[in-house]
Structures are given as structure tokens and as C-alpha cells.
Amino acid sequence: MSDRVYIFDTTLRDGEQVPGCQLNTVEKIQVAKSLETLGVDVIEAGFPISSPGDFNSVVEISKAVTWPTICALTRAVEKDIDVAAEALKYAKRGRIHTGIGTSDSHIRYKFNSTREEILERAVRAVKYAKKYVEDVEFYAEDAGRTDNEFLARVVEAVIKAGATVVNIPDTTGYCLPAEYGAKIKYLCDHVAGIENAIISTHCHNDLGMATANTMAGLMNGARQCEVTINGIGERAGNTALEEIAMILKSHKEIGLDTNINTKRIYPLSRQVSSLMNMPVQANKAIVGKNAFAHSSGIHQDGVLKNADTYEIIDPVDIGLDTNSIVLTARSGHAALKYRLEALGVHLEEEKLDKVYKEFLKLADKKKEIHDDDILMLAGTDWTRSRHIKVDWLQATSGIGMKPVASIGLDIAGEKFEAAATGNGPVDAAINALRKIIKRQITINEFTIQGVTKGADDCCKVHMQVEHEGRLYYGFGTSTDIVTASIEAYVDCINKFTK
Ligand code: KIV
Ligand code: ZN
């Protein structure tokens, strides 16, 4: 068996299903190009029948990317497959990823069907997709909870029908590593013709076992793994690409290799985080802010004497450049462009000009501009026109006084002003704003995070609000916490007001 593991990246499909983190087509192309530079083998670019946006992204990514295979998801439905094939028409190498639920729970409750009928539908879908492309991947949704004997029958039948890759998703993140590994081994041992296809892992992280399950799958015969940058994805997310790449690089004794240029991991992690406005948790393995930060005296002493004492990965191997250039207000347009490109972000001149203007404004407030700052600026959509804009904001707070804020809003050209008190400056500012926008809005989530470090740091605010039973996400950034919070709140409101 080959020792090459194919990396199938689904950041732009399964990863992008995180509520509030959707990318537009231009942003998806940027990420796809960075994935190509990273060295992934397959990019799952979308689910074309699900929306015109997804269709268009598959088309544009197919045009923009040269060598990775471009994959489009479908259900085991002919219309889905027709649309996916149409979206893939510019792909140099196109793959259709079709499938159906195979667990008894899916068969009974989702399809109100029988095992035999599902098996037939699976085979029919693969044969139908083969009319369009040679490379057809079949997924057995909820394979993690599917009876192994039935799963083996399905896998055998779809390989016979022409599937080149069979995906064994642990859709609910339920499996234990030994159980998932045994499932893959069972298929390798019991499926006639298994040597004609590649088995793929696709593990969700609901119980925190996605990476362990993926490794168990690879060590038992799978040769493709489906992963996302930073492990993003619905609920608890998917297997993190960076974890698998670094496990295989660190544990040479496993004897498996990927095509990943690990030095591109850190910049791409930051790019995805800033474009999706989705913070990476500080203690996230490999790419978290604290992943290489030793704080205990014993560790620091050891690392200073010899990094090998406590560091199993050289930060340089993931592209964490501790000596990266710091930009200042005197840095020119070219320096900003150079630094962004070194981080894998290529911007059109028009957007670069806008980012440079914002960079100068930020550099006026902050002495040093770090990589995370410029990625944050590059990831912000400066072109979106806003129905409601904050003209001005003033907030006063302190010890022994009642926080008070006043605000001026521009609503489609009309001017409004209000003032209010609150239990803090953010609360006061939001109360003032609510006097103007008299809607029932509940804040469900409110996260403030520093971008780099220092008292003059920029902060990012992520907010989720509920209005008339629907959820809306907003994002704000500023060196001023109250401003960033109000920007995030207004960003949410702009999503439901016209
Ligand atoms: O988790 C899952 O089962 C999936 C399939 C659609 C591949 O994402
Ligand atoms: Zn999935």
C-alpha cells in the first residue's frame, strides 16, 4: 500500500457551514489559491445546487486553481449531479462527491426507506456521475454509526459502479478511535475490489476525537483524509488539517507522507481566521497563540537551554516567523503589499489601496503593526455599503461614576442622536443606540479578543444577536473597545434592515 496520504480540504464546503462565517466568491478564491500553495491535493469548493453563490464559487475556483483536483458535493440526486458537473466545467481535474446516508437511523428517519433501496440509489448516483467525470467520490453519510457488514456491501457496490474514492464519514463525531480504525480495517479486509479505490476519512469533532479518529483511519488503511483549516466546521468542527500534517511530519515512524508545505500552515490559518472573522482559540494545537508560549519557569529554562527539551515542533516548520517585519506609519504601500503576499494574501490594487488607507489610520493609533493586524485589515470588507452608519460615539466611564454614552447615527442619510447610561460604557452605548433603533434585539454572544499584544492593541468583537427568531452575526474592530463593540452591533443590525 502506498505511503502517500491525499489531503482533501473542505474548508470552503463543510468548514464554511459555520453560521455567520460565510465567505464571498472573491474571498473563497483567495483561500483556494492559498490552499494550492499549501499543497493540498483536493479542494472541495462547494455544494453547487445549494445556492447560486456556491455554484459560482465552484466555477471561479475551478478557473483560478491550477493543479489540485476541484471537488463539488451533491446528494444522490440526478439534478444535483447535473448542476455539479456544470459547475466543474472549467476544472482541470474535476471530482463529483456524491452520497447518501447509510446508517439505520438515516435510512429510517431521513429517507423512510430500506437498506436495499439505499444501496440501489448509491449505485445509481455513482453511475450517473461517471457519465460526467472519471473521478467520482462516494460518501456513506453517518458511516460512523453504520453497521459494518452493510457498509461493506455499499462500498463494494459503489466501487464496482466506478467510485474512485469512498468516504467513510463519522458525521456525528460519535466513534471512538479504536472503533473507527477497526471500521476502516474491516472495509480493507472484507470489500472485494477495495484496491481499486482510495478510502477516505471524514471525521467530526463532537466528542473531541476528530484528529484521533482520522489518525486511526490512516493507520488502518485510509489514504485520503478530509480536513479543514483550523478545524472549522459546523458544531464542534472537522479534523484540523494542520494537526494531521504535523502529526505525520513529527511521527516519521508511521511512514505516511503528505504533499503539505508546512511552512504555509500558520499564514493560512490566520488568513482563514481573519476572512471568516472566526478567532482561533489561544490553546488550539499547532496554530493557537499559546501553542509555543512556555510560561512555567521550568519550561522556559529548558527551552532556552535547548528547544528540544519541551518543544516537539520547531515553530519555523509551521511558518511562525517570530522575526517577522513589524510595519509602522512610515511603511509604504509596497511594504504592505510585500508583507501581505508573504502571508499568502494577494489583493487586487483597488482593495489594496483601501486596506493601505485603513493601515495608515491604524498606524496613527498604534506604533507597531503586526501580521495579525494587517490580516485583520485585509479580511475586512471595506466596500460593503451600510444602511446604518455610526457618525460619532462618545462614552465616559470610570471609578465612582455612572457610565454614560451618546451616539450619532446616519440611517440612510437621516441623522439621529441619543444618550443613555448603563452598567459600563458598552452597555451605555448600546442603550443609547436602542433609543434610536427601537427593535427587539437580544445579544446572545459577545466576544472581545485582542489582535496582537500591548495596551495599544486592536481588538476584534464578534457578536451574535437574535431578532424576530433569527440569528445575525456582526464583527467590529478598533483600538477602542466601545467603538469595536458598537460597530459589531451595528453590523448585526445592518444584516436585517434595508
Ligand atoms: O459529515 C458528513 O457526513 C459530510 C458528508 C456530506 C460528506 O460532510
Ligand atoms: Zn462533514
Side-chain angles (χ1 to χ4, degrees), residues 212-226:
N213 284 344
T214 299
M215 284 309 303
L218 294 176
M219 291 168 82
N220 281 283
R223 284 295 173 268
Q224 176 181 281
C225 58
E226 308 197 357

Side-chain angles (χ1 to χ4, degrees), residues 8 10 13-14 17 44 47 73-74 97-100 106 110 137-143 167-173 202-204 226 234-235 238:
F8 175 116
T10 184
R13 201 278 298 168
D14 223 0
Q17 280 173 224
E44 188 162 50
F47 180 10
L73 186 80
T74 81
H97 188 189
T98 190
I100 196 161
H106 278 225
K110 192 168 158 184
E137 173 167 342
F138 174 81
Y139 65 86
E141 194 178 7
D142 204 15
N167 179 11
I168 311 299
D170 183 22
T171 307
T172 58
H202 179 114
C203 299
H204 281 267
E226 308 197 357
E234 257 191 310
R235 312 186 309 276
N238 290 56

